[in-house]
Amino acid sequence: MTTLQTADMVLDGLVGGGWGLGWEVIRKPVGPAALYSVGTFLHGGARGTLGLVDPDKDMVCLFMMQRTPGPNIDEEIQLFQVMAAAVLD
């Protein structure tokens, strides 16, 4: 499920990522994905949830929020990702 299925295709909205079977897979850690290793897989939900696994760092993140999408939702998720990655440094 986490094996990259989209090879080097340029996909709309993904920065350095591709898709496995249901999971986004980081293939080039740039932009917001720069915190993670190649092969990290994640999936976000419509109301602010995020599941993320970075096997190289032995890190599993689960962020659960239920709210109507708004201008700050992406910032809140990115802040969570930065804080989670900082714990390992």
Side-chain angles (χ1 to χ4, degrees), residues 12-64:
D12 204 25
L14 295 180
V15 178
W19 283 96
L21 300 176
W23 292 89
E24 180 180 350
V25 181
I26 306 277
R27 63 175 184 226
K28 187 186 307 179
V30 296
L35 301 168
Y36 308 112
S37 309
V38 171
T40 295
F41 53 97
L42 60 137
H43 189 78
R47 300 280 185 206
T49 58
L50 173 71
L52 180 141
V53 178
D54 187 334
D56 287 350
K57 295 182 180 177
D58 289 331
M59 179 172 73
V60 176
C61 296
L62 183 61
F63 182 72
M64 302 186 85

Side-chain angles (χ1 to χ4, degrees), residues 6-12 14 17 27:
T6 54
D8 291 332
M9 293 173 55
V10 176
L11 302 171
D12 204 25
L14 295 180
R27 63 175 184 226

Side-chain angles (χ1 to χ4, degrees), residues 67-83:
R67 62 174 271 198
T68 305
N72 298 329
I73 198 165
D74 288 335
E75 292 173 12
E76 292 167 355
I77 292 171
Q78 286 177 1
L79 178 60
F80 167 75
Q81 290 174 309
V82 168
M83 290 187 309

